Amino acid sequence: MDDDTRTTRWERRTELPLVVASALFFVSYAIRVLGHALPEPWPSACVAAMLAAWAVFAVDYAVRWRLSSQGPRFVRTHWLDTVVLILPLLRPLRVVKVYETVQRRRGRPRLALHARVITYAGLAVSLLGFAGALAVFQQERTAPDATIHTFGDAVWWTCATLATVGYGDVAPVTPVGRLIAVGLMACGLALLGAVTGSFSSWLLQVFADEGNEKPPGG
Amino acid sequence: MDDDTRTTRWERRTELPLVVASALFFVSYAIRVLGHALPEPWPSACVAAMLAAWAVFAVDYAVRWRLSSQGPRFVRTHWLDTVVLILPLLRPLRVVKVYETVQRRRGRPRLALHARVITYAGLAVSLLGFAGALAVFQQERTAPDATIHTFGDAVWWTCATLATVGYGDVAPVTPVGRLIAVGLMACGLALLGAVTGSFSSWLLQVFADEGNEKPPGG
Amino acid sequence: MDDDTRTTRWERRTELPLVVASALFFVSYAIRVLGHALPEPWPSACVAAMLAAWAVFAVDYAVRWRLSSQGPRFVRTHWLDTVVLILPLLRPLRVVKVYETVQRRRGRPRLALHARVITYAGLAVSLLGFAGALAVFQQERTAPDATIHTFGDAVWWTCATLATVGYGDVAPVTPVGRLIAVGLMACGLALLGAVTGSFSSWLLQVFADEGNEKPPGG
Amino acid sequence: MDDDTRTTRWERRTELPLVVASALFFVSYAIRVLGHALPEPWPSACVAAMLAAWAVFAVDYAVRWRLSSQGPRFVRTHWLDTVVLILPLLRPLRVVKVYETVQRRRGRPRLALHARVITYAGLAVSLLGFAGALAVFQQERTAPDATIHTFGDAVWWTCATLATVGYGDVAPVTPVGRLIAVGLMACGLALLGAVTGSFSSWLLQVFADEGNEKPPGG
């Protein structure tokens, strides 16, 4: 109970710094990848900022491990945190919690279930897609026979992949780029399925409600 | 209450002019894009008709804003109207309401839920797909390395996109064309999911009913 | 009631001839398309057989129209029959009724709901896909810049289309071929959605039943 | 009852040998396909190991047929076993049973329904996808105009196929390779549909539970 309280207190206190560190990591990575032609001070500064953000994540993970007093089991019971520590680009998946906290603080009423799933999953898909486009672009930019030449191509490829359309006019050719692509397919399809599914069921519900509210003679 | 009544009255009175304006806008846009080889009086006439229709939409939006007495909040609470004002090609999404009103006036019984979802979403998908094909064709027609050369190519590409098949034998190459394509994927997939989902559930229901109605010995 | 009885009697009596005519039409069409290099007696014989089968369909349609005493309304209330009369290649969609009748006559117990949907929709998709591949092959075979050169290519393209994978290594290029392709997407996707959906829900049910039958201590 | 007991005893006793034989077959096939440049002793040894494993499967099938005392009907009532005997690469589909047995022996509590479906179907899809990539690679490796040149290409193609993205930058060109591809589409899509479907419904449930547990004032 005491551990739990201390964990809760830690989480409340680190919330804001973690969001700032996540945003810092994300923005630094974007500048690093997109501004590959910038002069020297920039790339090093970006790498330094990314490492600093990563250090914040590692400290947070270590403290929470300590507070949990779970021992090695913590790595498995908090597997999402572990994955996010290794691949900080997946942090956007945690945006859901932040968004909800902000909405509650501002005293806004909670959205209906469908609206929340659509909002959260849509938000997470957008951020994950942007991160994936950045990572694929970094891998493919310098490959000799690449079809993804600009960041616009990478974003276009990401959208076609997440919608499972897959034109194939541009596609990754490097092994690492393809590995990222497979991860993007797996993550994105599941989340997109949630969005589409809840949008459809919301649509069906709207039509059903309309049918009940207005009698045929109305 | 008084505002509400006046809004309702306004909406009833403007229904027909708005439908006419929407159709005018749609047809003018189609002539403008498809008849790009027509001699001079035509293009100017089309642009004039589109501007006139747009003016009607703007006046309707302004009057309803005024009547709502909501102030700036109106832009957000009526976000669909706002989007449709900026992108009049999305107006077909409102065809659902018109179709229902017409059916009710002619005293037709309302269709069953599944049939209505399939009809409405199918109608909206068809119109949106046609508008998207027009917009993409206009963007791609003059691009130097385009694969979409004729309007037939654009329609073929739209169908393959909406069904998420995505052959990639033709695909947009201009930034604006790709932006429209992403919008088409997002809108179309959700609506198509509703059509497919309700068709599937209707099919399952038909089989289930058959199983109950006819005893094995029938 | 009398009309109904006569219609029922007519339907029972014409069942077998209609199945034979459907099979004849299908086989003749397949020989006509696939055996395009056969010497003269063959093509004419196939066309004659197809016309004969079509005449049988037309007579059946006319008699049932007469018996229904519905007047012009019959065309709309029996729209599926009307469509099937105009496009006899869609007749496989009626295979469901024939299959069920045969199963009942042989005294076989009816399958469970999921199994029936999978069987029927799978059967209909297979036949529709085969018909679609034949029709597309006939259109594309002689097109100057076609990518579908052999019937094997057409079948491969059909499978990739029905699964919404759409590689695009082969794709129709003629307007008529693309029109058939769009129809195949629309019909096939809906049926395939039914198959996939009921398979998934069956799988979920199996796992749920297993969980209930075997207690954790089992 | 006696037969049943003897069948159960046989199944319990052959469980381990069958898993070992399955793994042996799988690994031998992988070495055979991937190590196509290995010197002579290797290929023959792999083929011998595959034949030995196949013999084990055949003996098991024969003994269970005998014990069932069902006669020829056994082939149909145990159609999954029959298919798996003819195409041993599909054996991974049986991994579900093995996994569950291992979990139970180790005294682990059973996972919740959604988690189990995701785990099992994910496991089966991964193994089936790997087997399919191996089989397609073996067929395409030596084809003159193939686009699948390395095993990495085959895995990349398999992932794009199972996610129904289908870029088409690499695709099978040989008839046998395309036949395997169609089977992969059919098997994989259904299983993947189960994974996606249960993930989505789990996600919806999580959001719904969250909404109930935490009151708005929390």
Side-chain angles (χ1 to χ4, degrees):
Chain A
M1 198 93 176
D2 194 41
D3 285 353
D4 208 40
T5 314
R6 278 161 68 193
T7 301
T8 313
R9 230 173 357 175
W10 173 260
E11 281 183 350
R12 207 181 313 133
R13 215 178 291 158
T14 55
E15 204 176 77
L16 189 66
L18 280 177
V19 171
V20 171
S22 295
L24 181 69
F25 186 91
F26 214 75
V27 170
S28 305
Y29 187 70
I31 294 176
R32 178 84 183 75
V33 172
L34 297 181
H36 52 80
L38 287 177
E40 185 35 45
W42 281 96
S44 308
C46 286
V47 171
M50 281 160 69
L51 285 177
W54 209 329
V56 172
F57 302 150
V59 167
D60 170 62
Y61 186 80
V63 171
R64 281 197 294 144
W65 191 345
R66 198 73 193 282
L67 291 173
S68 76
S69 44
Q70 280 189 331
R73 209 152 51 81
F74 181 83
V75 177
R76 221 182 43 238
T77 55
H78 290 68
W79 62 268
L80 191 59
D81 289 316
T82 313
V83 168
V84 159
L85 178 69
I86 299 168
L87 295 171
L89 276 181
L90 291 179
R91 288 223 144 227
L93 283 175
R94 296 204 52 181
V95 83
V96 170
K97 272 195 185 164
V98 177
Y99 182 88
E100 183 140 323
T101 312
V102 172
Q103 290 290 81
R104 212 184 304 148
R105 279 215 193 110
R106 292 171 68 179
R108 292 257 176 84
R110 290 162 64 90
L111 295 167
L113 176 60
H114 290 312
R116 271 163 65 217
V117 175
I118 294 178
T119 310
Y120 295 172
L123 220 65
V125 159
S126 305
L127 283 174
L128 265 186
F130 187 69
L134 280 175
V136 165
F137 176 55
Q138 191 187 25
Q139 293 300 327
E140 297 288 317
R141 196 166 47 79
T142 54
D145 52 353
T147 53
I148 297 177
H149 301 295
T150 66
F151 184 62
D153 287 339
V155 170
W156 167 242
W157 167 83
T158 304
C159 292
T161 299
L162 288 177
T164 78
V165 172
Y167 295 113
D169 50 349
V170 292
V173 295
T174 60
V176 180
R178 287 180 171 180
L179 199 68
I180 299 166
V182 172
L184 202 62
M185 287 178 207
C187 289
L189 286 186
L191 283 169
L192 201 81
V195 179
T196 312
S198 51
F199 179 81
S200 300
S201 76
W202 170 77
L203 208 71
L204 282 166
Q205 198 182 311
V206 164
F207 278 120
D209 287 358
E210 248 179 24
N212 292 336
E213 277 168 18
K214 298 186 201 158
Chain B
M1 199 94 175
D2 193 41
D3 284 354
D4 209 40
T5 315
R6 277 163 67 194
T7 301
T8 313
R9 230 174 355 174
W10 174 260
E11 281 182 351
R12 206 180 315 134
R13 215 179 289 159
T14 55
E15 203 175 79
L16 190 66
L18 280 176
V19 171
V20 171
S22 296
L24 182 69
F25 186 91
F26 214 75
V27 170
S28 304
Y29 187 70
I31 294 176
R32 179 81 184 77
V33 173
L34 297 181
H36 52 82
L38 286 177
E40 184 36 46
W42 281 96
S44 310
C46 287
V47 171
M50 281 160 69
L51 286 177
W54 211 328
V56 172
F57 302 151
V59 167
D60 170 62
Y61 187 80
V63 169
R64 281 197 291 147
W65 191 345
R66 198 73 192 282
L67 289 174
S68 75
S69 45
Q70 282 189 330
R73 208 153 50 82
F74 180 84
V75 176
R76 219 181 45 236
T77 55
H78 290 67
W79 61 269
L80 190 60
D81 288 317
T82 313
V83 168
V84 160
L85 178 69
I86 299 168
L87 296 170
L89 276 182
L90 292 180
R91 290 223 142 225
L93 283 175
R94 296 204 51 180
V95 83
V96 170
K97 270 194 185 163
V98 175
Y99 181 86
E100 184 141 322
T101 313
V102 171
Q103 289 289 81
R104 211 185 305 148
R105 279 215 194 111
R106 291 171 68 180
R108 293 256 176 84
R110 290 163 65 93
L111 296 166
L113 177 60
H114 290 313
R116 270 164 64 216
V117 175
I118 294 178
T119 309
Y120 294 173
L123 220 64
V125 159
S126 305
L127 284 174
L128 265 186
F130 187 68
L134 279 175
V136 165
F137 176 55
Q138 192 187 24
Q139 294 299 326
E140 297 288 316
R141 196 166 48 79
T142 53
D145 51 353
T147 53
I148 296 176
H149 302 296
T150 66
F151 184 61
D153 287 340
V155 170
W156 168 241
W157 167 81
T158 305
C159 291
T161 299
L162 287 176
T164 78
V165 172
Y167 295 112
D169 50 350
V170 292
V173 295
T174 60
V176 180
R178 288 180 170 179
L179 199 68
I180 299 167
V182 172
L184 202 62
M185 287 178 206
C187 289
L189 286 187
L191 282 170
L192 201 80
V195 179
T196 312
S198 51
F199 180 81
S200 299
S201 77
W202 170 77
L203 208 71
L204 282 166
Q205 195 181 314
V206 164
F207 279 119
D209 287 357
E210 248 180 24
N212 292 337
E213 278 168 17
K214 298 186 200 157
Chain C
M1 198 95 177
D2 194 40
D3 285 355
D4 209 40
T5 314
R6 278 161 67 192
T7 301
T8 313
R9 231 175 353 176
W10 172 261
E11 281 183 350
R12 207 181 314 135
R13 215 179 289 159
T14 55
E15 204 177 77
L16 190 67
L18 280 176
V19 171
V20 171
S22 296
L24 182 68
F25 186 92
F26 214 75
V27 170
S28 304
Y29 187 69
I31 293 176
R32 179 83 184 76
V33 173
L34 297 181
H36 52 81
L38 286 176
E40 184 36 46
W42 281 96
S44 309
C46 287
V47 171
M50 282 160 68
L51 287 177
W54 210 329
V56 172
F57 303 150
V59 167
D60 170 62
Y61 186 80
V63 170
R64 281 198 291 147
W65 191 346
R66 198 71 192 284
L67 290 174
S68 75
S69 43
Q70 282 188 330
R73 211 153 47 83
F74 181 84
V75 176
R76 219 179 47 236
T77 56
H78 290 68
W79 61 270
L80 190 60
D81 289 316
T82 312
V83 169
V84 159
L85 179 69
I86 298 166
L87 296 170
L89 277 182
L90 291 179
R91 289 226 142 223
L93 283 174
R94 296 204 52 180
V95 83
V96 170
K97 271 194 183 162
V98 176
Y99 182 87
E100 183 140 322
T101 312
V102 171
Q103 289 290 81
R104 211 184 305 149
R105 280 218 192 107
R106 291 171 68 181
R108 294 254 176 86
R110 290 162 65 93
L111 295 166
L113 176 60
H114 290 313
R116 269 163 66 215
V117 175
I118 294 178
T119 309
Y120 295 172
L123 220 66
V125 160
S126 305
L127 284 174
L128 265 186
F130 187 69
L134 279 175
V136 165
F137 177 56
Q138 192 187 24
Q139 294 298 327
E140 297 288 316
R141 194 165 50 78
T142 53
D145 52 353
T147 53
I148 296 177
H149 301 296
T150 65
F151 184 62
D153 287 339
V155 170
W156 167 242
W157 167 82
T158 305
C159 291
T161 299
L162 288 177
T164 77
V165 172
Y167 295 112
D169 50 349
V170 292
V173 295
T174 60
V176 181
R178 288 179 170 180
L179 198 68
I180 300 167
V182 172
L184 203 62
M185 288 179 204
C187 290
L189 286 186
L191 283 169
L192 202 81
V195 179
T196 312
S198 51
F199 180 82
S200 301
S201 77
W202 170 77
L203 208 71
L204 282 166
Q205 195 181 314
V206 165
F207 279 120
D209 287 355
E210 248 180 23
N212 292 338
E213 278 167 18
K214 299 187 202 157
Chain D
M1 199 98 177
D2 195 37
D3 286 353
D4 209 41
T5 315
R6 278 162 69 193
T7 301
T8 312
R9 231 175 355 176
W10 173 261
E11 282 183 349
R12 208 183 310 135
R13 214 179 290 160
T14 54
E15 204 176 76
L16 190 67
L18 279 177
V19 171
V20 171
S22 295
L24 183 69
F25 186 91
F26 214 75
V27 171
S28 305
Y29 187 68
I31 294 176
R32 178 81 183 77
V33 172
L34 297 181
H36 52 81
L38 288 176
E40 185 34 48
W42 280 96
S44 310
C46 287
V47 171
M50 282 161 69
L51 286 177
W54 210 328
V56 172
F57 302 150
V59 167
D60 171 62
Y61 187 80
V63 170
R64 281 198 292 146
W65 191 345
R66 198 72 193 282
L67 290 173
S68 76
S69 45
Q70 281 189 331
R73 211 152 48 84
F74 181 84
V75 175
R76 220 180 44 238
T77 54
H78 290 68
W79 62 270
L80 190 59
D81 289 316
T82 311
V83 168
V84 159
L85 179 69
I86 298 168
L87 295 171
L89 277 182
L90 291 179
R91 288 224 143 226
L93 283 174
R94 297 204 50 182
V95 83
V96 170
K97 272 196 183 161
V98 177
Y99 182 87
E100 182 141 322
T101 313
V102 171
Q103 289 290 81
R104 211 184 305 149
R105 280 218 191 105
R106 292 172 67 180
R108 294 254 177 86
R110 290 162 65 91
L111 296 166
L113 176 61
H114 290 314
R116 270 163 65 216
V117 175
I118 294 177
T119 310
Y120 295 172
L123 220 65
V125 160
S126 305
L127 284 174
L128 265 186
F130 188 68
L134 279 175
V136 165
F137 176 55
Q138 192 187 27
Q139 293 299 326
E140 297 288 316
R141 194 166 49 79
T142 54
D145 51 352
T147 52
I148 297 176
H149 300 296
T150 66
F151 184 62
D153 288 339
V155 170
W156 168 242
W157 168 82
T158 304
C159 291
T161 299
L162 288 177
T164 77
V165 172
Y167 296 112
D169 50 348
V170 291
V173 296
T174 61
V176 181
R178 287 178 171 181
L179 199 68
I180 299 167
V182 172
L184 202 63
M185 288 177 204
C187 290
L189 286 186
L191 283 169
L192 201 82
V195 179
T196 312
S198 50
F199 179 82
S200 301
S201 76
W202 170 77
L203 208 73
L204 282 167
Q205 197 181 314
V206 164
F207 280 118
D209 287 356
E210 249 179 22
N212 292 336
E213 278 167 17
K214 298 186 201 157

